[in-house]
Amino acid sequence: MNRFLVRKVAVLGAGVMGAQIAAHLVNCKVPVVLFDLPAKDGPKNGIVTKAVDGLKKLKPAPLGLAEDATLIEQANYEDHLHLLAGCDLVIEAIAERMDWKLALYEKIAPALAPHAIVASNTSGLSITKLAAVLPESIRPRFCGVHFFNPPRYMALLELIATPDTRPEVLDQLETFATSALGKAVVRAKDTPNFIANRVGIAGMLATIKEADTFGLPYDVVDDLTGKKLGRASSGTFRTADVVGLDTMAHVIKTLQDNLADDPFYASYATPPVLGALIAKGALGQKAGAGFYKKVGRDILRLDPAKADYVAGGGKAEPLVERMLKKPAAERLKLLRESSNPQAAFLWAILRDAFHYAAVHLESIAETARDVDFAMRWGFGMKQGPFELWQDAGWLQVAGWVKADIEAGKALSTAPLPAWVFEGPVAERGGVHAVEGSWSPSRQAFVPRSELAVYCRQYFPEAVLGSGAKDPLKAGTEVWRNEELRAWTLDGEVLIASITAKLHLISPAVIEGLGKALDAAEAGYKGLVIWSPDDVFSAGANLEALMPVFMKSGAKGIAPEVKKLQDMFLRLRYAQVPVVAAVRGLALGGGCELAVHCARRVAAMESYVGLVEVGVGLIPAGGGLTYIARRAAEMATAANANVDILKFASDGFTNAAMAKVGTSAPESRKLGYLVEGDIVVPHKDELLFVALAQARAMADSGWRPPQRKPFAVAGRNAIATIKGQLANMRDGGFISAHDFHLATLIAEVVCGGDVDAGSLVTEDYLMALERERFCSLLEHPKTQERIMGMLQTGKPVRN
């Protein structure tokens, strides 16, 4: 298959979804032009301009860098349809009105490039009906896409074909969405609301009904149906508020309008409480009130009996919390047999989910895997409904659901499909097996897609029962201790995976990195530091050093800090390229570990920064030395006579204020990623790209940088910074201890008591780091911050 090149994308519609889809394309370095209607007043692009400006203010931020909003090209349908000829992909994302969409297609069809893929972003309209208005030449390259809101953060992308869509068009779009946009793609059938919203909204409606049945307040329901149940922390009613109650009502109406023959049709009725809220304009978070209302700092919940808001904060009962911590089989048995209303409610909504998913599987999805992944990626569940069912004992749970259906307790009298109780599914104990996941339409277990793009994912997310490889047991192990594993997949590049909790850096991790580097230099092309979750490293393990501190005080800590510094310098000057594969958190010592590697390959959602001041300390693993060296390098590149403080001040501020890059682009702006580092949109491609980088660097004759001294800003720069800090302290913006910490950071970054332009070495600056770090360990204010963090997990401001 020829490669599908996407040189530019057009997004039609600058509403909430269209603008944020455009923003995500910019995050992924895909050129984009955003269209909307010409404004009636003022500049014709006014509607788009307002939407693009709004992107900078939204939370969570749709843009990795707010200033990248300028990269979105602005257009209107009256003046700029000719721009469509240069677009390889056109995504229509206007309001969910079939007539409006059809009218727009008629307008744009003559301007489209003859090869362009055209896709409608819709949450549930019929893709086949939308295609009917298009010329026959366009229909084979038309399909549906469904981005989930917010597009930057929600992994799921549903891809929907029409009977006329060419298979290679779907393959091309899935490849682009996966690798270029970082999306987790599920192919859905062209049925109302597709997979995730069909199952998810049905589940929310069931939850509202069962909450009423068991008399549970909304805040209690949200606590029960959030993280405790392995779902998104927002639970049910708070999720509805975030999504928008009008949006939820629209999705419900799609079910009502198109599924009159559905055996669950009665459960699609708009809940009276939802209708009442919408009628008075309480549309959720965007309107300031919905199921919840924020008054000052207080979050109030709706009491439907009083038709007013009351104090919130209700929680699950301890008995039910204990049940939810049990293994799946025991958990569901306890919930089903309990007389506790909260437990009975939970069994009811789980039973409803199992029942609904089984009855509708054949009509909405090709396999059970598609349903489970859609609910994981679109609704934040740790396990999809079929996974949980299988985990708890397939036939046992099926019998319980069947009994409830026959007893009239379920939402519908529709029986479970025959394949639930007999044949291959029953024999294997569930819908997921090593050979694939169950497809009722094919009456077979269907393996995962073999599309070439998935060869880039060595350890993709997998469903329970699929026999997926555990990455920390895969490959060939070379060495390990209790907190680090050194192993290889290809025999060419060694991988070091930190296995400690939060991948905290302890003496055992330092030892492991040393052993891994020894092995890599002796017989491999390179070393990649990678772990298979959303933490690269959350920093140094302070608890691991407590026994040393209790025995010998700060003097005992200094040698341990030097071991850390020496290890990071070894990585920087290693005889093989060392690549940090950064995903998720890289904080404090984790950031220092990454910046000392020869290259960083970072997932888009990487959060990188030096955060030590939060525990009353300063960076001591070479982080400040890195800032000083980078400032000298940038100053040299700019002008030999330039003031180094100009380049050091941003790095100083980032460390002193514990600034964290909240995306890979922002981490690059802060200086923790540099030009030449690679940003990878899809987290599961991170290891593939990191290994490829290490091999390429080695094959290109890579050599480590030369050790050489560099210039620092000196004592006058320290005095300048201290003057600014004093003003902040005296103005009440920072505490006296913040002033002290920032002063120590300035002293290291500027090179201590030396003249401006003095040449220093990394060893010299690391000695300054070490001395000042250790001096803080015995400071009572620092000790308060450390103990507060260890006890509560939150920073103490003192």
Side-chain angles (χ1 to χ4, degrees):
M1 180 175 66
N2 292 332
R3 184 182 177 195
F4 175 56
L5 291 175
V6 180
R7 287 157 290 202
K8 181 179 280 190
V9 176
V11 177
L12 311 181
V16 173
M17 284 303 293
Q20 292 200 56
I21 291 169
H24 186 61
L25 288 161
V26 165
N27 291 337
C28 298
K29 295 187 175 182
V30 178
V32 60
V33 54
L34 179 61
F35 281 83
D36 212 299
L37 295 166
K40 294 179 180 178
D41 301 308
K44 281 191 175 179
N45 287 341
I47 294 173
V48 177
T49 300
K50 183 179 179 181
V52 171
D53 289 342
L55 291 171
K56 305 171 191 176
K57 305 167 190 173
L58 285 178
K59 297 293 179 184
L63 288 158
L65 285 175
E67 56 262 38
D68 281 352
T70 59
L71 299 177
I72 299 174
E73 186 177 355
Q74 301 182 19
N76 66 79
Y77 303 125
E78 188 173 297
D79 298 333
H80 303 117
L81 283 184
H82 64 277
L83 295 176
L84 292 175
C87 295
D88 305 294
L89 172 62
V90 177
I91 301 172
E92 171 270 304
I94 68 170
E96 294 282 270
R97 283 273 301 268
M98 180 73 77
D99 54 340
W100 290 0
K101 288 178 184 283
L102 296 179
L104 180 60
Y105 293 171
E106 290 181 342
K107 179 187 287 284
I108 67 168
L112 296 171
H115 68 281
I117 292 177
V118 184
S120 174
N121 180 70
T122 173
S123 60
L125 296 180
S126 168
I127 305 302
T128 302
K129 289 181 181 178
L130 288 172
V133 74
L134 289 168
E136 287 188 18
S137 61
I138 297 176
R139 290 179 200 170
R141 43 194 171 89
F142 177 78
C143 64
V145 293
H146 181 204
F147 285 85
F148 274 64
N149 190 21
R152 172 183 163 186
Y153 301 96
M154 297 300 291
L156 180 62
L157 179 76
E158 291 177 316
L159 192 58
I160 309 98
T162 76
D164 295 326
T165 308
R166 291 199 310 264
E168 62 267 26
V169 166
L170 291 180
D171 290 348
Q172 290 167 343
L173 191 50
E174 181 167 354
T175 296
F176 171 73
T178 301
S179 201
L181 303 185
K183 290 298 167 187
V185 176
V186 168
R187 296 197 186 188
K189 294 185 178 181
D190 189 12
T191 54
N193 294 340
F194 312 127
I195 299 175
N197 274 349
R198 177 74 173 272
V199 176
I201 294 299
M204 292 178 77
L205 288 170
T207 300
I208 294 172
K209 178 185 180 302
E210 302 292 5
D212 184 60
T213 299
F214 290 95
L216 300 182
Y218 300 145
D219 49 356
V220 172
V221 170
D222 279 351
D223 192 50
L224 287 166
T225 60
K227 285 189 175 180
K228 292 181 175 67
L229 199 62
R231 299 182 177 180
S233 59
S234 52
T236 301
F237 294 98
R238 199 174 303 279
T239 295
D241 274 359
V242 171
V243 169
L245 303 191
D246 52 340
T247 301
M248 184 176 173
H250 172 79
V251 178
I252 293 170
K253 190 172 187 303
T254 301
L255 299 176
Q256 295 168 346
D257 291 348
N258 295 281
L259 295 171
D261 296 330
D262 190 310
F264 287 79
Y265 185 77
S267 69
Y268 299 152
T270 303
V273 64
L274 180 64
L277 286 169
I278 293 172
K280 63 181 182 180
L283 304 180
Q285 186 171 283
K286 61 188 174 186
F291 288 107
Y292 294 93
K293 182 178 181 180
K294 188 172 183 180
V295 179
R297 295 186 176 182
D298 297 325
I299 304 293
L300 307 182
R301 67 164 174 86
L302 180 69
D303 183 336
K306 296 180 179 179
D308 199 1
Y309 294 90
V310 299
K315 299 291 182 182
E317 292 181 16
L319 170 68
V320 179
E321 281 197 68
R322 290 194 294 273
M323 291 181 187
L324 291 175
K325 293 177 181 178
K326 300 291 185 181
E330 185 179 356
R331 183 193 326 150
L332 265 59
K333 185 175 188 295
L334 288 170
L335 293 174
R336 182 173 187 269
E337 294 177 352
S338 176
S339 60
N340 181 290
Q342 292 186 11
F345 158 78
L346 286 172
W347 163 251
I349 64 170
L350 291 173
R351 173 204 64 217
D352 296 341
F354 300 149
H355 186 194
Y356 191 90
V359 168
H360 290 94
L361 173 58
E362 183 169 2
S363 65
I364 66 174
E366 186 60 41
T367 72
R369 177 178 53 248
D370 297 326
V371 172
D372 281 343
F373 275 157
M375 299 313 295
R376 274 211 225 167
W377 296 331
F379 277 77
M381 294 184 177
K382 286 187 177 178
Q383 287 183 311
F386 289 116
E387 286 183 284
L388 176 57
W389 182 349
Q390 183 165 331
D391 195 16
W394 184 264
L395 288 177
Q396 175 69 80
V397 173
W400 292 339
V401 175
K402 181 175 183 289
D404 277 12
I405 295 170
E406 292 171 351
K409 296 179 180 179
L411 296 177
S412 167
T413 58
L416 291 172
W419 56 259
V420 169
F421 296 100
E422 56 193 46
V425 171
E427 292 166 7
R428 286 170 176 76
V431 290
H432 302 305
V434 173
E435 60 265 43
S437 293
W438 182 249
S439 170
S441 61
R442 298 194 203 180
Q443 286 291 296
F445 287 91
V446 177
R448 293 187 72 157
S449 170
E450 295 182 353
L451 207 59
V453 70
Y454 294 117
C455 295
R456 297 168 60 88
Q457 299 180 12
Y458 291 137
F459 301 102
E461 281 194 57
V463 287
L464 180 84
S466 63
K469 294 180 292 184
D470 180 346
L472 295 181
K473 295 179 181 176
T476 302
E477 189 169 290
V478 175
W479 187 88
R480 79 175 302 151
N481 64 12
E482 66 274 19
E483 295 191 356
L484 186 138
R485 181 183 189 237
W487 56 290
T488 182
L489 275 174
D490 58 9
E492 290 191 315
V493 178
L494 197 63
I495 304 166
S497 297
I498 302 173
T499 58
K501 182 181 179 181
L502 294 176
H503 307 159
L504 297 175
I505 300 169
S506 66
V509 170
I510 296 169
E511 177 199 22
L513 287 171
K515 294 286 189 182
L517 187 53
D518 289 341
E521 289 180 328
Y524 294 87
K525 287 186 174 182
L527 175 65
V528 167
I529 302 172
W530 172 85
S531 297
D533 57 27
D534 288 325
V535 180
F536 176 72
S537 172
N541 189 336
L542 297 177
E543 270 189 291
L545 296 177
M546 286 297 286
V548 177
F549 179 72
M550 297 302 292
K551 180 180 179 181
S552 306
K555 289 183 180 179
I557 297 295
E560 299 300 323
V561 175
K562 188 170 190 312
K563 289 177 185 176
L564 176 72
Q565 294 174 336
D566 290 346
M567 185 63 248
F568 288 172
L569 284 179
R570 273 202 67 197
L571 294 173
R572 171 166 164 74
Y573 295 107
Q575 296 304 303
V576 292
V578 181
V579 177
V582 179
R583 169 181 164 190
L585 301 179
L587 304 177
C591 173
E592 291 171 312
L593 171 58
V595 299
H596 280 89
C597 293
R599 182 161 294 170
R600 285 137 298 278
V601 174
M604 180 65 71
E605 296 307 318
S606 294
Y607 305 90
V608 188
L610 298 171
V611 296
E612 285 82 355
V613 295
V615 289
L617 295 169
I618 67 169
L624 302 182
T625 299
Y626 166 80
I627 290 170
R629 177 175 56 77
R630 286 279 298 149
E633 291 169 350
M634 289 187 290
T636 299
N639 188 314
N641 298 316
V642 77
D643 181 7
I644 298 172
L645 180 58
K646 176 182 176 182
F647 295 92
S649 59
D650 284 346
F652 157 77
T653 301
N654 296 339
M657 297 182 65
K659 286 188 177 181
V660 174
T662 55
S663 67
E666 189 176 4
S667 298
R668 190 191 300 275
K669 183 180 178 181
L670 295 180
Y672 300 128
L673 300 179
V674 300
E675 292 303 321
D677 290 343
I678 310 296
V679 176
V680 180
H682 201 297
K683 61 183 176 58
D684 289 339
E685 291 187 2
L686 194 65
L687 181 58
F688 173 90
V689 176
L691 292 172
Q693 285 291 307
R695 284 192 295 267
M697 292 165 74
D699 291 342
S700 300
W702 181 88
R703 294 288 300 167
Q706 291 182 314
R707 290 178 181 260
K708 57 184 178 181
F710 49 87
V712 289
R715 65 175 71 86
N716 289 343
I718 297 171
T720 299
I721 293 174
K722 285 184 69 175
Q724 296 167 346
L725 291 171
N727 289 336
M728 295 178 69
R729 178 197 59 201
D730 297 343
F733 297 103
I734 61 174
S735 69
H737 197 49
D738 290 330
F739 173 84
H740 179 55
L741 292 167
T743 298
L744 296 183
I745 290 172
E747 288 173 358
V748 178
V749 168
C750 296
D753 188 17
V754 298
D755 294 334
S758 294
L759 297 180
V760 301
T761 65
E762 288 168 304
D763 289 321
Y764 165 80
L765 285 181
M766 284 188 174
L768 291 183
E769 282 188 31
R770 192 164 62 248
E771 184 274 325
R772 283 153 177 77
F773 175 89
C774 290
S775 73
L776 287 166
L777 290 173
E778 295 177 343
H779 195 296
K781 294 290 186 182
T782 286
Q783 291 177 355
E784 286 177 16
R785 292 194 184 189
I786 292 174
M787 293 309 298
M789 180 62 75
L790 292 176
Q791 291 170 1
T792 68
K794 298 179 181 178
V796 174
R797 307 311 306 171
N798 57 1

